[in-house]
Amino acid sequence: MNTLLILFIFVPILTFILLSLNLIFAVHKPDSEKISSYECGFSAIPQTRSPFSIQFYIVGILFLVLDLELVLIYPFTTTLYQIGSYGF
């Protein structure tokens, strides 16, 4: 069977079948807490000028720095076997 045939025919059919089964068998009982927006442990309803904790931003910045560091160091570590101890 051709890979493109699977990609363009079988996958959309499978997706449609799974989404249909979800709509048919899933329990739909929305309430006010499920519908309301929720972000970072804060309620979205109060005033916009309320005090907040800076810890969320610090964690985000640390994640960004460590993620970029990993992206920049990964190519070096994969070629380290080829260059040997002289390159290290």
Side-chain angles (χ1 to χ4, degrees):
M1 203 169 193
N2 192 359
T3 306
L4 288 175
L5 180 71
I6 292 174
L7 182 67
F8 289 116
I9 293 177
F10 180 69
V11 171
I13 291 172
L14 181 65
T15 304
F16 179 74
I17 290 171
L18 291 176
L19 285 173
S20 300
L21 288 173
N22 183 31
L23 287 174
I24 293 170
F25 293 116
V27 178
H28 300 286
K29 294 182 180 179
D31 58 4
S32 62
E33 292 179 1
K34 287 183 183 178
I35 296 174
S36 67
S37 61
Y38 177 80
E39 184 162 346
C40 297
F42 298 115
S43 177
I45 307 294
Q47 295 179 353
T48 57
R49 296 187 179 264
S50 61
F52 60 92
S53 177
I54 198 73
Q55 293 173 349
F56 296 109
Y57 294 105
I58 291 174
V59 169
I61 289 171
L62 282 175
F63 173 75
L64 218 128
V65 167
L66 294 175
D67 191 38
L68 288 175
E69 179 184 350
L70 180 67
V71 167
L72 295 174
I73 290 177
Y74 182 72
F76 173 72
T77 58
T78 56
T79 59
L80 192 60
Y81 289 111
Q82 296 174 356
I83 59 177
S85 62
Y86 179 73
F88 182 68

